[in-house]
Amino acid sequence: MGNKYSKQITSKILLLTCWGLAPLFGFDFQVSGQASSFSKIGFDTRKYNPQKGVYPTESYATMLGELDLHLNLANHLNITLGGMINTIVYDSTIYQSGEPLASAYIGYWATHSGQDLKDPRFAMVHNAYISYEYNDMFGFKAGRYETQGYDWFSAFNQGGEAYVKLYDTKAWILFSDARASAYNDWFWPYGRYYTSGAPLIAEGIIYTKNGWSISPYIYHILENMNAPGFNISFDSNPDFASEGFRSSTTLVALFPFYQGVSASSRDTIVFNQPLGKSAQTLFIKQHFDINNYHFGAIIYKNFGNANGKIGIYGDPITYNIWTGSIYDLGTSLSNMVGKDALSGFLYVGAHYQSFKWQLLGRLTTSPRADEQSLALYLSYVFDKHISTGLKIEYFKDTTHKGYTIGTGPILQNNNTSDRSHMMMHITYAF
């Protein structure tokens, strides 16, 4: 039992100690945090009944609190410690299925291995890291922290990263012992959830000049996967400041090769589909800006089960892929990351000072299911403390016969479900 809580207790002691001693040693320190509420409202409120082909869309609401302490020890050398707690204040699945399933979003805990499901955890030390950066030439970060800028890794990392930059070329490396989601809508403590219990390593090079960015890289899941890939982009106006015209094109590809798998191996995370020995994924985005307006198109194509492992740790879409139903394998994944899936997106939007809007339409076809979606995004920043956001999405999902939805029976006919929903949040930050 002591081992279960030792990391939490140690982190709390460090947080309080740093808080108390920082002024005595002349360290600069800041305190930040937030209180946030999130709600998802599913429009199909029927009771779950797989025998009759009824797979509703869940609703749930949360309340989140976060507190962080930032210490500046010396020039460019910083330490951050922070904790977070998230609670479920409403869960429609209690009435739809007789089980409280919202903990699959908030508090899901399967130990450090990510493979051994335990009771939910609703609190964690999400930030505990040291970082250093010198003149954009060298930098590192180690501990628990939120990642940024990776095509195939997102959210929080327990591990480290570093880079070295010389003129227009930067070399980087990432090590991940575990990953976490620490947000108001998705709260999973650190674990190796999608990497078969193994750590992850990635490294790459970025060459940037005259609007071009060329970045080859490779991701490794030890004894499970090697996935080389690249990101090539061109920005016609890198200094665009909401005036004039800008065109940007992005091409991303990933080529995972799976190790230690047989011909019958299946990925239990992505719809229990055959994994295969190798796969490919291709992402193309064309984006335009005209003053404060923007519009564009995206194509996302999987050849084989390319999202079978690392491809759901993060993806270049920057669109929420977890908008399906909790009753489908308990993950709510969209079929856009399924085997041999093809998705097309069109979007248009604008910003006016503190107000932003965007309309995004999507069509997805795949052997398992087809999806059609149209979503309206609205956000407003009231002041430096209070912000809010709203999404209303029409979402139709048709799963093909011969497949299953969650733990239900094999479908004898196509099953069409309404995945339409609304999501909203309001956040007070300090």
Side-chain angles (χ1 to χ4, degrees):
M1 186 171 181
N3 184 55
K4 178 179 180 181
Y5 298 105
S6 60
K7 289 184 179 180
Q8 295 183 26
I9 294 172
T10 301
S11 299
K12 290 177 182 177
I13 292 173
L14 285 172
L15 180 62
L16 293 173
T17 301
C18 292
W19 182 301
L21 294 181
L24 298 178
F25 287 93
F27 297 148
D28 293 330
F29 72 96
Q30 293 181 329
V31 177
S32 67
Q34 64 167 311
S36 183
S37 176
F38 169 84
S39 298
K40 175 185 177 181
I41 301 173
F43 295 159
D44 183 350
T45 60
R46 295 175 297 169
K47 286 194 173 184
Y48 171 62
N49 190 335
Q51 301 305 319
K52 293 185 178 180
V54 178
Y55 301 90
T57 303
E58 71 284 349
S59 301
Y60 70 101
T62 72
M63 289 289 294
L64 176 144
E66 176 186 1
L67 183 65
D68 295 287
L69 175 63
H70 311 274
L71 298 174
N72 175 236
L73 303 181
N75 285 339
H76 315 294
L77 182 63
N78 300 281
I79 288 179
T80 296
L81 294 170
M84 184 178 287
I85 185 169
N86 203 341
T87 59
I88 302 169
V89 296
Y90 176 72
D91 181 3
S92 72
T93 65
I94 297 173
Y95 310 102
Q96 289 174 326
S97 67
E99 298 181 64
L101 301 179
S103 59
Y105 294 115
I106 308 297
Y108 184 90
W109 169 239
T111 72
H112 175 262
S113 72
Q115 314 299 303
D116 185 15
L117 185 61
K118 300 292 185 182
D119 292 337
R121 288 189 173 183
F122 300 105
M124 69 169 138
V125 175
H126 65 296
N127 276 331
Y129 67 90
I130 184 170
S131 63
Y132 178 81
E133 192 162 17
Y134 179 73
N135 290 344
D136 198 33
M137 296 173 58
F138 168 75
F140 74 85
K141 190 177 290 187
R144 290 182 168 185
Y145 61 92
E146 186 175 20
T147 60
Q148 293 182 344
Y150 296 103
D151 285 337
W152 303 101
F153 193 100
S154 64
F156 284 77
N157 180 40
Q158 178 175 284
E161 60 184 66
Y163 76 86
V164 176
K165 185 176 180 181
L166 182 63
Y167 299 108
D168 302 314
T169 303
K170 180 167 84 170
W172 59 267
I173 186 168
L174 167 74
F175 170 76
S176 177
D177 175 71
R179 177 183 181 271
S181 292
Y183 304 104
N184 53 17
D185 61 335
W186 201 275
F187 190 85
W188 285 23
Y190 285 91
R192 298 172 172 178
Y193 298 103
Y194 305 135
T195 57
S196 302
L200 177 141
I201 301 172
E203 59 268 342
I205 297 172
I206 304 174
Y207 173 78
T208 306
K209 191 170 185 179
N210 298 328
W212 285 94
S213 176
I214 302 173
S215 176
Y217 47 67
I218 185 168
Y219 287 77
H220 315 271
I221 300 175
L222 301 184
E223 300 181 0
N224 280 275
M225 184 195 76
N226 289 302
F230 61 82
N231 181 318
I232 300 174
S233 65
F234 176 73
D235 189 335
S236 68
N237 188 357
D239 299 320
F240 179 79
S242 299
E243 292 185 1
F245 175 77
R246 177 192 195 185
S247 171
S248 59
T249 306
T250 303
L251 173 64
V252 179
L254 189 72
F255 308 95
F257 296 89
Y258 302 125
Q259 299 171 279
V261 298
S262 66
S264 60
S265 294
R266 292 177 177 266
D267 192 318
T268 58
I269 298 298
V270 187
F271 311 122
N272 196 32
Q273 294 182 304
L275 192 59
K277 295 289 186 179
S278 63
Q280 304 83 41
T281 190
L282 180 66
F283 169 87
I284 304 172
K285 180 178 180 179
Q286 178 61 55
H287 179 90
F288 298 99
D289 291 286
I290 302 177
N291 297 326
N292 60 316
Y293 291 90
H294 67 268
F295 60 95
I298 299 171
I299 295 176
Y300 188 72
K301 170 60 180 173
N302 279 339
F303 302 90
N305 198 348
N307 292 86
K309 288 190 179 289
I310 191 61
I312 51 178
Y313 244 32
D315 62 77
I317 306 174
T318 65
Y319 170 87
N320 190 350
I321 63 175
W322 306 90
T323 54
S325 171
I326 198 70
Y327 300 104
D328 195 356
L329 293 180
T331 64
S332 76
L333 266 172
S334 163
N335 283 280
M336 75 178 84
V337 296
K339 181 177 181 291
D340 294 319
L342 171 64
S343 297
F345 304 75
L346 291 174
Y347 62 89
V348 61
H351 65 272
Y352 309 93
Q353 296 182 342
S354 298
F355 175 68
K356 296 180 180 179
W357 68 268
Q358 179 170 281
L359 189 65
L360 184 146
R362 173 177 63 91
L363 295 177
T364 295
T365 62
S366 74
R368 180 182 185 265
D370 298 335
E371 296 176 350
Q372 300 89 43
S373 166
L374 182 64
L376 174 65
Y377 298 82
L378 305 171
S379 67
Y380 188 79
V381 178
F382 291 92
D383 54 35
K384 65 179 182 179
H385 296 297
I386 301 174
S387 61
T388 187
L390 172 69
K391 181 188 78 166
I392 302 174
E393 181 171 352
Y394 162 79
F395 185 174
K396 177 183 176 183
D397 177 288
T398 301
T399 304
H400 301 145
K401 67 178 181 178
Y403 290 85
T404 61
I405 302 177
T407 58
I410 296 176
L411 297 177
Q412 302 303 310
N413 298 288
N414 289 355
N415 181 286
T416 299
S417 297
D418 182 7
R419 297 283 170 258
S420 302
H421 59 272
M422 179 171 65
M423 293 182 180
M424 66 186 102
H425 79 87
I426 183 166
T427 299
Y428 177 85
F430 59 91

